[in-house]
Amino acid sequence: MSLTGQTGADQLRQYIERIERLEEEKKALMADIRDIYAEAKATGFEPKVMRQIIKIRAMDKDLLAEQDMLLSTYRDALGVPAE
Amino acid sequence: MSLTGQTGADQLRQYIERIERLEEEKKALMADIRDIYAEAKATGFEPKVMRQIIKIRAMDKDLLAEQDMLLSTYRDALGVPAE
């Protein structure tokens, strides 16, 4: 891609501006997400545990079951039982 | 926030689902951004340098000028001159 001609520079500018617009949208979404966590926290929910729940809900069921079992086994082995 | 009642559980579920929807949108945006970089790369532009340009364009002008000057000074000092 030659940048000496106008076409190359225009094309580059278009790519850059498309990415910048999407990055702006991403930033806005991330701000919205932060706001929801803040609102939930003000209501009395714990954001850290909410993040864990969101990860858990996104996991494959079998993988989750396996990890839960291992976690429980390891906790027992080290004397850190779940309540 | 008590989770023994239905209200607390419902409220928690609503927060979680709102965040999950926004996270999905964020994931879609990130895929779109990756696609544009891939398309630009196929056209002959270098994604790494495009990322640098996007950072540079987002910077405060004075800060950018200062960093450019320092970078140039440091390169000269270490014998790594810009072309």
Side-chain angles (χ1 to χ4, degrees):
Chain A
M1 174 52 54
S2 159
L3 286 178
T4 50
Q6 197 49 41
T7 317
D10 283 348
Q11 202 169 11
L12 178 60
R13 178 181 304 277
Q14 278 165 25
Y15 282 129
I16 296 288
E17 289 177 353
R18 278 167 66 195
I19 292 167
E20 284 174 342
R21 278 193 296 273
L22 295 175
E23 289 285 0
E24 279 306 311
E25 289 180 45
K26 196 177 91 183
K27 222 186 276 179
L29 277 177
M30 288 167 73
D32 289 347
I33 291 170
R34 268 197 306 278
D35 288 348
I36 298 174
Y37 279 117
E39 191 189 324
K41 186 172 185 173
T43 313
F45 296 113
E46 177 53 57
K48 275 191 195 166
V49 184
M50 291 175 69
R51 287 182 196 275
Q52 277 185 291
I53 285 291
I54 285 170
K55 264 192 206 154
I56 285 169
R57 280 165 53 104
M59 280 179 74
D60 172 81
K61 296 300 166 228
D62 290 342
L63 187 63
L64 174 62
E66 191 189 319
Q67 288 204 359
D68 278 348
M69 200 199 61
L70 284 172
L71 181 61
S72 163
T73 307
Y74 293 0
R75 287 180 76 140
D76 284 352
L78 296 177
V80 196
E83 32 110 33
Chain B
M1 173 54 55
S2 159
L3 287 177
T4 49
Q6 196 51 39
T7 316
D10 283 347
Q11 202 169 11
L12 178 60
R13 177 181 303 276
Q14 278 165 25
Y15 282 130
I16 295 288
E17 289 177 352
R18 278 168 65 196
I19 293 168
E20 285 174 341
R21 276 192 297 273
L22 294 175
E23 289 285 0
E24 280 304 313
E25 288 181 46
K26 196 177 88 182
K27 222 187 277 181
L29 277 177
M30 289 168 73
D32 288 346
I33 292 170
R34 267 197 308 277
D35 287 348
I36 299 175
Y37 279 118
E39 192 188 322
K41 185 173 187 176
T43 312
F45 296 113
E46 176 53 57
K48 275 191 194 163
V49 184
M50 292 176 68
R51 287 183 195 275
Q52 277 185 291
I53 285 290
I54 286 170
K55 265 193 204 154
I56 285 170
R57 281 164 54 104
M59 280 178 74
D60 171 80
K61 298 298 167 226
D62 291 342
L63 188 63
L64 175 60
E66 191 189 319
Q67 288 206 356
D68 278 347
M69 201 201 58
L70 285 172
L71 181 60
S72 162
T73 307
Y74 292 1
R75 287 181 76 142
D76 285 352
L78 295 177
V80 197
E83 35 106 32

